[in-house]
Amino acid sequence: AYILIALAEHYFLTRDNDWFEKSAVKILGCIDWAFGQIEDYRKKGAWDEGLMPPVRMGDVSDWGTYYFGEASYYLGIKEALRAIASLGPAYAAEAGLRRSKLEAYRQAIRKAYRKSISLSPVIPLRNGTYAPPLATKTYLRGFMSDIWPLSPCNGLRNAWMDIDFPAKLIEAGVFGPEEPESKWLLDCLEDHLLLDSFLMPKKWDKIEQDPVTCARDATSQLTDYDADKDWYAWGGTGWQNGYCSLMQCYLITGETNAFLRSFYNTYAVEVDPETYWFREHAASIDYPPKTFEEAMFLYRLKSMLVFEHDNKLYLNRCVPDEWFRKGFEVIQMPTNYGLLNMNVSCCDNELVIKISLSLRKRPDRVILRVTGYGNVELDPEKCEWVWQENPSFDQNR
């Protein structure tokens, strides 16, 4: 799944048709293999009918059909087909032949997830209402952390799965940001797991050795953390944040403050103050940094400024208000539509934004967020687009 996502993303950022076309046949073969796995495993009427066969996910030994994996497969296939369709009519036809299977797969994921939450006990939210809990995999009712707290380490790992896995369904587009399943999922994450779960570490003041695995993990049983008072101190961040899709969800929903809380809290608790690398686990001092953590940090930082979604280009979608007051600059940032230059300055309370995009492909919509004004939509048909094969960034256009 992630190989497909990475190949498609590389193509969209470079538009290297020659390179991508050499791989297109193999990519289509990979997609067909995935659809073949679904058909080979299909059991009529089963909870996971239409999904990929059970797998093991990461460090967890349980075999299962995890929604994180299903959403990742869906996103990888969707993006790869979108990229292949850009190569020309013949490839667009090949991609079109597979889109009905992709939509059937999406509907199967939605059906299974809805069954999972419909069979699980509702949970109280902090505003006094109730909602279905999020779901991690099929054939499970409720949270992973409720059914497998065999030791502190295993309990933490299940809390990690509860927090970091299901939000992928929103990021992948299996559920839209306005659908009730998405709202329930985010509310459940925020109110029940990120703030109140006793399994999640809240501060650095208690780090013990797990008696079963001998791993050193932080626990929160004897901390002075108060969910009502200290919500900003820990809110919005999970266990292995390279996996967690929470920030990507807030990019999609356009909830700037929620994104910024997650962004700054996440990297405050993950960063190694000596190297400025990010640890794999948010509150574990002995886990080393891993490259996917660094990559996700760079992706999210880029997305604060430039975010591409559903053929729309969002500029400054989750930029802090203070940045507008102080001014900032983006220089030759790769986007799906070309290289972007952007200069934001504020002088005598007058905000000036200069944007230069070396266009390879025209977006359907361009939405610019300006602090204090909300979103300003730029009409691509009325913008002055200048096509240049070898763009120079010494001029404003």
Short mmCIF file of all heavy atoms in Angstrom, two decimals, residues 62-100:
data_model
loop_
_atom_site.label_atom_id
_atom_site.label_comp_id
_atom_site.label_asym_id
_atom_site.label_seq_id
_atom_site.Cartn_x
_atom_site.Cartn_y
_atom_site.Cartn_z
N ASP A 62 -1.66 -10.52 16.94
CA ASP A 62 -3.01 -10.95 16.53
C ASP A 62 -3.18 -10.84 15.02
O ASP A 62 -2.90 -9.80 14.43
CB ASP A 62 -4.07 -10.06 17.19
CG ASP A 62 -4.37 -10.48 18.61
OD1 ASP A 62 -3.66 -11.38 19.12
OD2 ASP A 62 -5.30 -9.93 19.21
N TRP A 63 -3.66 -11.91 14.40
CA TRP A 63 -4.05 -11.84 13.00
C TRP A 63 -5.44 -11.21 12.93
O TRP A 63 -6.31 -11.49 13.75
CB TRP A 63 -4.09 -13.24 12.38
CG TRP A 63 -2.73 -13.82 12.15
CD1 TRP A 63 -1.91 -14.36 13.09
CD2 TRP A 63 -2.04 -13.88 10.91
NE1 TRP A 63 -0.73 -14.76 12.50
CE2 TRP A 63 -0.78 -14.49 11.17
CE3 TRP A 63 -2.34 -13.48 9.61
CZ2 TRP A 63 0.16 -14.70 10.17
CZ3 TRP A 63 -1.41 -13.70 8.62
CH2 TRP A 63 -0.18 -14.31 8.89
N GLY A 64 -5.64 -10.36 11.97
CA GLY A 64 -6.94 -9.71 11.86
C GLY A 64 -7.04 -8.87 10.60
O GLY A 64 -6.06 -8.66 9.88
N THR A 65 -8.25 -8.42 10.33
CA THR A 65 -8.50 -7.51 9.22
C THR A 65 -8.61 -6.11 9.81
O THR A 65 -9.66 -5.70 10.30
CB THR A 65 -9.79 -7.90 8.48
OG1 THR A 65 -9.71 -9.28 8.11
CG2 THR A 65 -9.97 -7.07 7.22
N TYR A 66 -7.51 -5.38 9.78
CA TYR A 66 -7.42 -4.08 10.44
C TYR A 66 -7.84 -2.98 9.47
O TYR A 66 -7.43 -2.97 8.30
CB TYR A 66 -5.99 -3.83 10.91
CG TYR A 66 -5.53 -4.80 11.99
CD1 TYR A 66 -4.89 -5.98 11.66
CD2 TYR A 66 -5.76 -4.52 13.33
CE1 TYR A 66 -4.48 -6.87 12.64
CE2 TYR A 66 -5.36 -5.40 14.32
CZ TYR A 66 -4.72 -6.57 13.97
OH TYR A 66 -4.32 -7.45 14.94
N TYR A 67 -8.63 -2.03 9.97
CA TYR A 67 -9.11 -0.95 9.11
C TYR A 67 -7.98 -0.03 8.66
O TYR A 67 -8.07 0.58 7.59
CB TYR A 67 -10.21 -0.17 9.83
CG TYR A 67 -11.46 -1.00 10.03
CD1 TYR A 67 -11.92 -1.32 11.30
CD2 TYR A 67 -12.16 -1.50 8.93
CE1 TYR A 67 -13.05 -2.10 11.47
CE2 TYR A 67 -13.29 -2.29 9.10
CZ TYR A 67 -13.73 -2.59 10.38
OH TYR A 67 -14.83 -3.38 10.54
N PHE A 68 -6.92 0.06 9.42
CA PHE A 68 -5.76 0.84 9.00
C PHE A 68 -5.19 0.24 7.71
O PHE A 68 -4.86 0.97 6.76
CB PHE A 68 -4.70 0.82 10.10
CG PHE A 68 -3.43 1.55 9.73
CD1 PHE A 68 -3.30 2.91 9.98
CD2 PHE A 68 -2.36 0.87 9.17
CE1 PHE A 68 -2.13 3.58 9.66
CE2 PHE A 68 -1.19 1.54 8.85
CZ PHE A 68 -1.07 2.90 9.09
N GLY A 69 -5.05 -1.07 7.68
CA GLY A 69 -4.53 -1.73 6.48
C GLY A 69 -5.47 -1.58 5.30
O GLY A 69 -5.04 -1.30 4.18
N GLU A 70 -6.76 -1.76 5.54
CA GLU A 70 -7.73 -1.67 4.44
C GLU A 70 -7.73 -0.25 3.86
O GLU A 70 -7.75 -0.07 2.64
CB GLU A 70 -9.13 -2.03 4.95
CG GLU A 70 -9.25 -3.42 5.55
CD GLU A 70 -8.84 -4.53 4.58
OE1 GLU A 70 -9.21 -4.47 3.40
OE2 GLU A 70 -8.14 -5.45 5.04
N ALA A 71 -7.73 0.76 4.74
CA ALA A 71 -7.72 2.14 4.25
C ALA A 71 -6.44 2.44 3.48
O ALA A 71 -6.45 3.16 2.47
CB ALA A 71 -7.86 3.11 5.43
N SER A 72 -5.32 1.88 3.94
CA SER A 72 -4.04 2.11 3.24
C SER A 72 -4.06 1.46 1.86
O SER A 72 -3.60 2.06 0.89
CB SER A 72 -2.89 1.55 4.08
OG SER A 72 -2.81 2.19 5.33
N TYR A 73 -4.56 0.24 1.78
CA TYR A 73 -4.68 -0.42 0.46
C TYR A 73 -5.55 0.42 -0.46
O TYR A 73 -5.22 0.65 -1.63
CB TYR A 73 -5.29 -1.81 0.60
CG TYR A 73 -4.34 -2.89 1.04
CD1 TYR A 73 -4.58 -3.62 2.20
CD2 TYR A 73 -3.21 -3.19 0.29
CE1 TYR A 73 -3.71 -4.63 2.61
CE2 TYR A 73 -2.34 -4.20 0.70
CZ TYR A 73 -2.59 -4.90 1.86
OH TYR A 73 -1.74 -5.89 2.26
N TYR A 74 -6.69 0.86 0.08
CA TYR A 74 -7.61 1.65 -0.75
C TYR A 74 -6.94 2.92 -1.25
O TYR A 74 -7.03 3.26 -2.44
CB TYR A 74 -8.87 1.99 0.05
CG TYR A 74 -9.78 2.97 -0.66
CD1 TYR A 74 -10.57 2.58 -1.72
CD2 TYR A 74 -9.79 4.32 -0.28
CE1 TYR A 74 -11.38 3.49 -2.39
CE2 TYR A 74 -10.59 5.23 -0.94
CZ TYR A 74 -11.38 4.81 -2.00
OH TYR A 74 -12.15 5.72 -2.67
N LEU A 75 -6.26 3.63 -0.35
CA LEU A 75 -5.61 4.89 -0.73
C LEU A 75 -4.50 4.63 -1.75
O LEU A 75 -4.36 5.38 -2.73
CB LEU A 75 -5.04 5.57 0.51
CG LEU A 75 -4.32 6.90 0.28
CD1 LEU A 75 -5.26 7.93 -0.35
CD2 LEU A 75 -3.74 7.43 1.59
N GLY A 76 -3.72 3.58 -1.54
CA GLY A 76 -2.64 3.27 -2.49
C GLY A 76 -3.16 2.97 -3.88
O GLY A 76 -2.63 3.47 -4.88
N ILE A 77 -4.21 2.16 -3.96
CA ILE A 77 -4.78 1.81 -5.27
C ILE A 77 -5.42 3.04 -5.91
O ILE A 77 -5.24 3.30 -7.11
CB ILE A 77 -5.81 0.68 -5.11
CG1 ILE A 77 -5.10 -0.61 -4.64
CG2 ILE A 77 -6.55 0.42 -6.42
CD1 ILE A 77 -6.06 -1.72 -4.24
N LYS A 78 -6.14 3.84 -5.11
CA LYS A 78 -6.81 5.03 -5.65
C LYS A 78 -5.79 6.01 -6.23
O LYS A 78 -5.96 6.51 -7.36
CB LYS A 78 -7.61 5.71 -4.53
CG LYS A 78 -8.32 6.98 -4.99
CD LYS A 78 -9.17 7.60 -3.87
CE LYS A 78 -8.32 8.22 -2.80
NZ LYS A 78 -9.14 9.00 -1.82
N GLU A 79 -4.72 6.28 -5.50
CA GLU A 79 -3.73 7.24 -5.96
C GLU A 79 -2.95 6.69 -7.16
O GLU A 79 -2.61 7.43 -8.08
CB GLU A 79 -2.78 7.60 -4.82
CG GLU A 79 -3.43 8.42 -3.73
CD GLU A 79 -3.99 9.73 -4.27
OE1 GLU A 79 -3.19 10.64 -4.56
OE2 GLU A 79 -5.22 9.83 -4.42
N ALA A 80 -2.65 5.39 -7.15
CA ALA A 80 -1.92 4.81 -8.27
C ALA A 80 -2.76 4.86 -9.55
O ALA A 80 -2.24 5.18 -10.63
CB ALA A 80 -1.53 3.37 -7.95
N LEU A 81 -4.05 4.57 -9.45
CA LEU A 81 -4.92 4.64 -10.63
C LEU A 81 -5.05 6.08 -11.12
O LEU A 81 -5.08 6.33 -12.33
CB LEU A 81 -6.29 4.06 -10.30
CG LEU A 81 -6.35 2.54 -10.11
CD1 LEU A 81 -7.78 2.11 -9.77
CD2 LEU A 81 -5.87 1.80 -11.35
N ARG A 82 -5.11 7.02 -10.19
CA ARG A 82 -5.19 8.43 -10.59
C ARG A 82 -3.93 8.86 -11.34
O ARG A 82 -3.99 9.59 -12.33
CB ARG A 82 -5.40 9.30 -9.35
CG ARG A 82 -5.64 10.78 -9.65
CD ARG A 82 -6.20 11.49 -8.44
NE ARG A 82 -5.23 11.66 -7.38
CZ ARG A 82 -4.46 12.74 -7.23
NH1 ARG A 82 -4.56 13.74 -8.10
NH2 ARG A 82 -3.61 12.83 -6.23
N ALA A 83 -2.80 8.37 -10.87
CA ALA A 83 -1.54 8.71 -11.53
C ALA A 83 -1.46 8.06 -12.91
O ALA A 83 -1.07 8.70 -13.90
CB ALA A 83 -0.36 8.28 -10.67
N ILE A 84 -1.83 6.80 -13.00
CA ILE A 84 -1.77 6.08 -14.28
C ILE A 84 -2.70 6.72 -15.30
O ILE A 84 -2.36 6.84 -16.49
CB ILE A 84 -2.10 4.59 -14.06
CG1 ILE A 84 -0.90 3.91 -13.38
CG2 ILE A 84 -2.44 3.89 -15.37
CD1 ILE A 84 -1.16 2.49 -12.95
N ALA A 85 -3.87 7.16 -14.86
CA ALA A 85 -4.83 7.78 -15.78
C ALA A 85 -4.27 9.07 -16.38
O ALA A 85 -4.73 9.51 -17.44
CB ALA A 85 -6.13 8.07 -15.05
N SER A 86 -3.27 9.68 -15.72
CA SER A 86 -2.68 10.93 -16.22
C SER A 86 -1.72 10.70 -17.38
O SER A 86 -1.28 11.67 -18.01
CB SER A 86 -1.94 11.65 -15.09
OG SER A 86 -2.82 11.95 -14.03
N LEU A 87 -1.39 9.44 -17.66
CA LEU A 87 -0.37 9.15 -18.68
C LEU A 87 -0.90 9.22 -20.11
O LEU A 87 -0.12 9.21 -21.05
CB LEU A 87 0.24 7.77 -18.43
CG LEU A 87 1.11 7.63 -17.17
CD1 LEU A 87 1.55 6.19 -16.99
CD2 LEU A 87 2.30 8.57 -17.23
N GLY A 88 -2.22 9.24 -20.26
CA GLY A 88 -2.77 9.31 -21.60
C GLY A 88 -4.01 8.46 -21.74
O GLY A 88 -4.38 7.71 -20.82
N PRO A 89 -4.70 8.53 -22.89
CA PRO A 89 -5.98 7.84 -23.08
C PRO A 89 -5.92 6.33 -22.85
O PRO A 89 -6.83 5.76 -22.24
CB PRO A 89 -6.35 8.16 -24.54
CG PRO A 89 -5.61 9.43 -24.84
CD PRO A 89 -4.34 9.37 -24.05
N ALA A 90 -4.88 5.67 -23.36
CA ALA A 90 -4.80 4.22 -23.22
C ALA A 90 -4.69 3.82 -21.75
O ALA A 90 -5.36 2.89 -21.28
CB ALA A 90 -3.60 3.68 -24.00
N TYR A 91 -3.85 4.54 -21.01
CA TYR A 91 -3.70 4.25 -19.58
C TYR A 91 -4.94 4.66 -18.81
O TYR A 91 -5.32 4.01 -17.83
CB TYR A 91 -2.46 4.95 -19.04
CG TYR A 91 -1.17 4.32 -19.48
CD1 TYR A 91 -0.38 4.89 -20.47
CD2 TYR A 91 -0.73 3.13 -18.91
CE1 TYR A 91 0.81 4.31 -20.88
CE2 TYR A 91 0.46 2.54 -19.31
CZ TYR A 91 1.23 3.14 -20.30
OH TYR A 91 2.41 2.55 -20.70
N ALA A 92 -5.58 5.75 -19.22
CA ALA A 92 -6.81 6.17 -18.56
C ALA A 92 -7.88 5.08 -18.70
O ALA A 92 -8.65 4.84 -17.76
CB ALA A 92 -7.30 7.49 -19.15
N ALA A 93 -7.91 4.43 -19.86
CA ALA A 93 -8.87 3.34 -20.07
C ALA A 93 -8.56 2.16 -19.14
O ALA A 93 -9.47 1.54 -18.57
CB ALA A 93 -8.83 2.89 -21.52
N GLU A 94 -7.27 1.83 -18.98
CA GLU A 94 -6.87 0.75 -18.09
C GLU A 94 -7.27 1.07 -16.64
O GLU A 94 -7.77 0.21 -15.92
CB GLU A 94 -5.36 0.53 -18.17
CG GLU A 94 -4.89 -0.14 -19.45
CD GLU A 94 -5.29 -1.60 -19.53
OE1 GLU A 94 -5.51 -2.22 -18.47
OE2 GLU A 94 -5.40 -2.12 -20.66
N ALA A 95 -7.05 2.32 -16.24
CA ALA A 95 -7.44 2.72 -14.90
C ALA A 95 -8.95 2.66 -14.73
O ALA A 95 -9.46 2.21 -13.69
CB ALA A 95 -6.93 4.13 -14.61
N GLY A 96 -9.68 3.09 -15.77
CA GLY A 96 -11.13 3.07 -15.71
C GLY A 96 -11.71 1.68 -15.51
O GLY A 96 -12.73 1.51 -14.84
N LEU A 97 -11.05 0.68 -16.09
CA LEU A 97 -11.52 -0.70 -15.96
C LEU A 97 -11.48 -1.19 -14.51
O LEU A 97 -12.18 -2.13 -14.16
CB LEU A 97 -10.67 -1.63 -16.84
CG LEU A 97 -10.82 -1.46 -18.35
CD1 LEU A 97 -9.80 -2.34 -19.08
CD2 LEU A 97 -12.24 -1.80 -18.79
N ARG A 98 -10.66 -0.56 -13.71
CA ARG A 98 -10.46 -1.02 -12.33
C ARG A 98 -11.18 -0.15 -11.31
O ARG A 98 -11.20 -0.50 -10.13
CB ARG A 98 -8.96 -1.06 -12.02
CG ARG A 98 -8.22 -2.13 -12.84
CD ARG A 98 -6.73 -1.87 -12.89
NE ARG A 98 -6.00 -2.94 -13.54
CZ ARG A 98 -5.86 -3.06 -14.87
NH1 ARG A 98 -6.43 -2.17 -15.68
NH2 ARG A 98 -5.18 -4.07 -15.38
N ARG A 99 -11.77 0.94 -11.74
CA ARG A 99 -12.38 1.86 -10.77
C ARG A 99 -13.63 1.26 -10.13
O ARG A 99 -13.92 1.54 -8.95
CB ARG A 99 -12.72 3.18 -11.45
CG ARG A 99 -11.49 3.99 -11.84
CD ARG A 99 -11.83 5.42 -12.17
NE ARG A 99 -10.70 6.11 -12.77
CZ ARG A 99 -9.68 6.60 -12.11
NH1 ARG A 99 -9.63 6.45 -10.78
NH2 ARG A 99 -8.68 7.21 -12.72
N SER A 100 -14.37 0.46 -10.84
CA SER A 100 -15.57 -0.15 -10.24
C SER A 100 -15.17 -1.12 -9.13
O SER A 100 -15.84 -1.20 -8.10
CB SER A 100 -16.40 -0.86 -11.31
OG SER A 100 -15.64 -1.88 -11.95
#
